[in-house]
Amino acid sequence: MTMPIPNRPVILTGDRPTGPLHLGHYVGSLKNRVSLQTSHRQFLLVADCQALTDNAHDPDKVRHNVLEVVLDYLAVGIDPALTTICLQSSLPALAELTQLYLNLVTVARLERNPTVKAEIALRGFGRDIPAGFLCYPVAQAADITAFKAEVVPVGEDQVPMIEQTVEIVRRINRQVGRQVLPEPRALIPTVGRLPGIDGKAKMSKSQGNAIGLSASSEDIRAAVHAMYTDPGHLRVADPGQVEGNAVFTYLDAFGDRQEVAALKARYRQGGLGDMVVKRRLEEILQELIAPFRERRRHLADDPVFVLNILRRGTETAREVTDAVLDDVRRSFGVFTFV
Amino acid sequence: MTMPIPNRPVILTGDRPTGPLHLGHYVGSLKNRVSLQTSHRQFLLVADCQALTDNAHDPDKVRHNVLEVVLDYLAVGIDPALTTICLQSSLPALAELTQLYLNLVTVARLERNPTVKAEIALRGFGRDIPAGFLCYPVAQAADITAFKAEVVPVGEDQVPMIEQTVEIVRRINRQVGRQVLPEPRALIPTVGRLPGIDGKAKMSKSQGNAIGLSASSEDIRAAVHAMYTDPGHLRVADPGQVEGNAVFTYLDAFGDRQEVAALKARYRQGGLGDMVVKRRLEEILQELIAPFRERRRHLADDPVFVLNILRRGTETAREVTDAVLDDVRRSFGVFTFV
């Protein structure tokens, strides 16, 4: 059972269960969540409904990844006594709020949403966008408000989603004449996005450039060995470039700041070989990932235990979201049985 | 408690609670429903969520009309022991199915829907269509399938909505590999639409050309007196035209077929005055509406009784729709807790 901590700001975040999480997720969000869970009332939403907006042809993939994502959360140190882990599709209030909010947003406004525009282009939907995909900013507004979330950690590119939520919140509060819902604010991570091991902008399992959170010792070794460095750095004695050099970007993300500064200086000067730097990065990653992998293996042996964490979290979340739905509906003036 | 009648086809119909029902509704649907309730397993949905798709600025109007519509149903002879009267916004399965189905329909497909196109034009939405309005064919598919309705009485202009539902049903059944949902068919009324008392195509409260189901004796008299006839029929002795003559259209709808045929013949020939025909129509309408009005007045004195009919019907409907949602979700492959 999650312990409610009074007077801590509510934070909502989560992931689409479309594959196991990787080091990019760890740097971009999971690590933060582990520290935020003590200072905030944190809800983690396994967003299977949202995953279906562009995976309706393959619901099996989404279903199979639900417990995988929960395993990843627990493996990196999310504590179910501090964080409520819950399943989107088992929270009917989210669909009900979505349906209500869809009446408050025009189609033109959704089509103007920069995040939706970018993602439509990325997925090559053209005119054949699933309606659910066009509407997902509204569904996200439902998610955020259903928990009365005040803080939502998102990447820079997702800020328009929070703006859409704020618009809906203002519309409702204005029409009702009191502050039924808080206006959420975006929490943008200060660390940059972790590139793939090939140096490409985004680590992604489908690109084959990711290191999984439960990567084996051999996988880590192979990944670091294959990692993109400075293509102009041919001999150890040559000066090397650290900018755009994936090994150093990873060292920045995972290493000790002073040690990394010293390594960078030597590399730039010449005389520090790629193999030496890679060996150091490998050590650091092995040390980071080993406990994740062990915990994950241990937990994966007891799926009922993991399922029960998700079930109990979802029950807690259901109470919270049902209460908010009831409040919004009554205030807005939807018929309610007494 | 509604008694389930085994092996009767399921029929779903309903009304948007945006105002009291009138004689046009009676002719077009209510009268049929009274007879269908013995041959079918009938659900009547008070569609308050759908009413909000274009009334989100005025939810009070929608809420206030919920019990009015139930009163109208009971007044005309809908029997809660045979028909389940239920409230859309209290059936979360409908929003959950809507959210799932939105992923199976493209925005382009919704924009091509002729009914939606016509209604967008009618309401003058232009580009500022509320997203909920564009999506309402999908919400209707959710309504229809949540009851596994096989028969849906609709006007000719609403047939594209049933086609949209059939497409969604086929997509789901095909993807799942078995018939989870039945394909609904439209039941199109054989009687034409009742014109307004001014002879205009559609009776509508907002046009001021309607006769309410609880119209007073005086209202009925005044409405029939003001009714549009043949503007060329100036003297009793003149031959009159019955086509486009509202009084005769009403007689067709409410009178005895043989008697009306005789009246038409005399009117066409000349020598039958408008006042005589109107007096006969008034008698017929007074006789029809008086018991509605009495029953309605009686029921309106006991709102708790009426509320409880809606509450019990909604409970029954909730069991039905929750079970269908569960079936669809499991078959489709959404994660479900065991």
Side-chain angles (χ1 to χ4, degrees), chain A:
Chain A
M1 192 55 199
T2 307
M3 301 268 289
I5 306 167
N7 300 326
R8 305 233 167 161
V10 176
I11 192 165
L12 174 74
T13 167
D15 295 278
R16 299 157 44 103
T18 51
L21 303 180
H22 51 58
L23 271 187
H25 297 108
Y26 182 73
V27 171
S29 57
L30 295 174
K31 195 180 167 192
N32 264 333
R33 296 178 193 170
V34 174
S35 40
L36 287 165
Q37 66 185 343
T38 50
S39 55
H40 289 69
R41 169 99 177 86
Q42 181 168 254
F43 293 92
L44 284 190
L45 189 62
V46 182
D48 59 341
C49 291
Q50 197 196 112
L52 285 173
T53 60
D54 58 339
N55 286 282
H57 58 284
D58 192 4
D60 293 349
K61 180 176 87 177
V62 175
R63 185 178 71 254
H64 287 135
N65 279 297
V66 166
L67 280 189
E68 295 301 313
V69 166
V70 179
L71 277 171
D72 286 333
Y73 289 165
L74 299 174
V76 299
I78 294 294
D79 177 354
L82 294 170
T83 292
T84 304
I85 305 173
C86 52
L87 183 65
Q88 196 176 38
S89 65
S90 287
L91 300 171
L94 307 184
E96 296 189 70
L97 283 175
T98 301
Q99 192 160 46
L100 180 62
Y101 296 169
L102 280 173
N103 304 325
L104 309 179
V105 177
T106 67
V107 174
R109 174 68 183 86
L110 289 174
E111 286 172 344
R112 276 200 312 272
N113 186 306
T115 314
V116 173
K117 264 188 182 166
E119 298 197 6
I120 286 169
L122 185 74
R123 286 171 176 76
F125 278 139
R127 287 307 292 152
D128 288 333
I129 326 155
F133 193 83
L134 182 69
C135 297
Y136 97 78
V138 180
Q140 276 204 341
D143 297 344
I144 293 167
T145 56
F147 292 93
K148 292 195 173 173
E150 295 154 87
V151 184
V152 186
V154 289
E156 197 95 52
D157 55 333
Q158 297 284 318
V159 171
M161 308 303 270
I162 309 300
E163 287 166 356
Q164 177 66 82
T165 303
V166 170
E167 277 177 37
I168 292 171
V169 165
R170 287 187 182 161
R171 161 70 194 266
I172 291 204
N173 290 345
R174 193 175 58 237
Q175 186 163 330
V176 165
R178 70 178 177 92
Q179 204 203 294
V180 190
L181 295 169
E183 287 183 21
R185 63 180 179 80
L187 180 69
I188 298 161
T190 48
V191 288
R193 204 194 275 275
L194 193 69
I197 61 168
D198 55 1
K200 287 203 181 127
K202 197 180 172 180
M203 180 177 279
S204 141
K205 197 184 165 241
S206 61
Q207 297 279 317
N209 65 2
I211 302 178
L213 286 177
S214 54
S216 69
S217 175
E218 297 69 38
D219 287 347
I220 297 168
R221 180 166 309 128
V224 176
H225 187 79
M227 206 171 266
Y228 182 84
T229 58
D230 170 8
H233 187 236
L234 298 174
R235 280 165 308 194
V236 173
D238 290 345
Q241 208 178 326
V242 303
E243 289 75 22
N245 181 325
V247 177
F248 280 98
T249 314
Y250 277 59
L251 281 170
D252 277 335
F254 300 103
D256 170 80
R257 184 189 294 241
Q258 277 193 306
E259 185 198 351
V260 175
L263 285 172
K264 280 182 178 175
R266 284 177 56 202
Y267 192 81
R268 281 190 175 116
Q269 202 184 314
L272 180 58
D274 280 359
M275 283 315 296
V276 177
V277 199
K278 282 187 172 178
R279 224 173 290 134
R280 181 64 193 123
L281 175 63
E282 194 208 317
E283 272 173 19
I284 292 169
L285 293 185
Q286 294 285 11
E287 208 173 308
L288 174 75
I289 293 177
F292 299 168
R293 188 175 56 230
E294 289 316 303
R295 235 178 321 207
R296 205 182 191 286
R297 179 152 46 201
H298 183 71
L299 288 160
D301 280 345
D302 193 353
V304 173
F305 175 79
V306 179
L307 185 68
N308 278 332
I309 287 173
L310 183 62
R311 186 201 310 271
R312 280 196 298 270
T314 304
E315 281 163 7
T316 302
R318 184 143 178 176
E319 279 175 38
V320 171
T321 55
D322 280 354
V324 174
L325 172 67
D326 192 60
D327 191 13
V328 172
R329 286 171 48 136
R330 278 174 201 275
S331 316
F332 195 74
V334 176
F335 188 99
T336 36
F337 287 104
V338 278

Side-chain angles (χ1 to χ4, degrees), chain B residues 133-149:
Chain B
F133 194 83
L134 181 70
C135 296
Y136 97 78
V138 179
Q140 275 204 341
D143 296 344
I144 293 167
T145 57
F147 292 93
K148 293 196 172 172

Side-chain angles (χ1 to χ4, degrees), chain A residues 334-337, chain B residues 16-19 46-48 59-73 85-87 89 306-307 310:
Chain A
V334 176
F335 188 99
T336 36
F337 287 104
Chain B
R16 297 156 46 102
T18 50
V46 182
D48 58 341
D60 293 349
K61 179 176 85 176
V62 175
R63 186 178 69 255
H64 286 135
N65 277 297
V66 166
L67 280 189
E68 295 301 313
V69 166
V70 179
L71 277 172
D72 285 332
Y73 288 166
I85 305 173
C86 51
L87 183 65
S89 64
V306 179
L307 184 69
L310 182 63

Side-chain angles (χ1 to χ4, degrees), chain A residues 129 131, chain B residues 98 101-116 133-145 152 154 157-172 181-186:
Chain A
I129 326 155
Chain B
T98 301
Y101 296 167
L102 280 173
N103 304 324
L104 310 178
V105 177
T106 66
V107 174
R109 175 66 183 87
L110 288 174
E111 286 172 345
R112 277 201 310 273
N113 186 307
T115 314
V116 173
F133 194 83
L134 181 70
C135 296
Y136 97 78
V138 179
Q140 275 204 341
D143 296 344
I144 293 167
T145 57
V152 185
V154 289
D157 55 333
Q158 297 284 319
V159 170
M161 309 302 271
I162 309 300
E163 287 165 358
Q164 177 66 82
T165 302
V166 170
E167 278 177 37
I168 291 172
V169 165
R170 286 187 183 160
R171 160 72 193 267
I172 291 205
L181 294 170
E183 286 181 22
R185 62 180 180 79

